[in-house]
Amino acid sequence: MAETLALTAATKAARYAELLPQIDALTAGESDLTANLANTAAALRQAFGFFWVGFYLVKGDELVLGPFQGPIACTRIRKGRGVCGGSWAQARTLLVPDVEQFPGHIACSSDSKSEIVVPVLKNGEVVAVLDVDSDQLNDFDADDQAALEQLMQRAAQWF
Ligand code: SME
């Protein structure tokens, strides 16, 4: 397993293209879910400097905080609540350019300005969501969505 990430690309799409195979390599020999989610959150934050990167896991009728990188966060989110609960309920990615314009947004931190939440689908069911928050407005676009959805398709095999 590599001990450091090798990231040289200047554009975001190219950086994701460099990063995804390295996350594959980091997780390939590891069967433990927590270990793989933890390294994925760390790799994404290290590569892009996002404000908060982490996972919420579906447990019963709630999402429960899982491995993350960043400031402390809310521990439980109900289905349909906030961006994370909305992504779970709709089983699709939610891209929010300005969290203050999103009805029901759950503010774990007032420094969070924009957000993307990508569900992890296993056999058609949402088992977790990846939440990435930025302290900049409008920080996520179709490049983030495409790369993070690809990453979460691979993450489904860890569950
Ligand atoms: N903002 C999220 C809650 C999670 S935190 O930001 C880490 C939401 O509305 O679902």
Side-chain angles (χ1 to χ4, degrees), residues 4-106:
T4 54
L5 295 174
L7 297 164
T8 56
T11 68
K12 191 165 60 173
R15 218 167 162 80
Y16 275 118
E18 282 184 332
L19 182 66
L20 264 52
Q22 294 182 70
I23 294 178
D24 280 345
L26 258 177
T27 55
E30 180 52 67
S31 60
D32 187 84
L33 174 65
T34 304
N36 287 334
L37 296 179
N39 260 343
T40 299
L44 285 169
R45 190 154 191 246
Q46 192 181 329
F48 296 102
F50 294 129
F51 177 71
W52 196 93
V53 183
F55 292 89
Y56 281 91
L57 308 183
V58 173
K59 297 196 176 175
D61 61 353
E62 290 179 315
L63 291 169
V64 181
L65 183 63
F68 72 96
Q69 293 271 313
I72 57 169
C74 327
T75 57
R76 289 173 188 269
I77 298 173
R78 291 217 162 250
K79 196 169 191 176
R81 292 283 317 280
V83 188
C84 292
S87 172
W88 175 20
Q90 296 171 45
R92 67 179 181 93
T93 297
L94 295 182
L95 210 159
V96 181
D98 179 353
V99 295
E100 291 197 2
Q101 304 301 317
F102 187 92
H105 171 254
I106 300 164

Side-chain angles (χ1 to χ4, degrees), residues 85-147:
S87 172
W88 175 20
Q90 296 171 45
R92 67 179 181 93
T93 297
L94 295 182
L95 210 159
V96 181
D98 179 353
V99 295
E100 291 197 2
Q101 304 301 317
F102 187 92
H105 171 254
I106 300 164
C108 289
S109 165
S110 58
D111 289 331
S112 178
K113 301 277 191 273
S114 59
E115 177 165 359
I116 184 169
V117 178
V118 181
V120 183
L121 286 146
K122 177 101 181 172
N123 303 324
E125 295 285 312
V126 178
V127 290
V129 299
L130 168 70
D131 181 14
V132 185
D133 293 8
S134 171
D135 57 6
Q136 310 290 314
L137 281 170
N138 203 15
D139 210 16
F140 301 104
D141 59 21
D143 287 342
D144 298 282
Q145 180 166 351

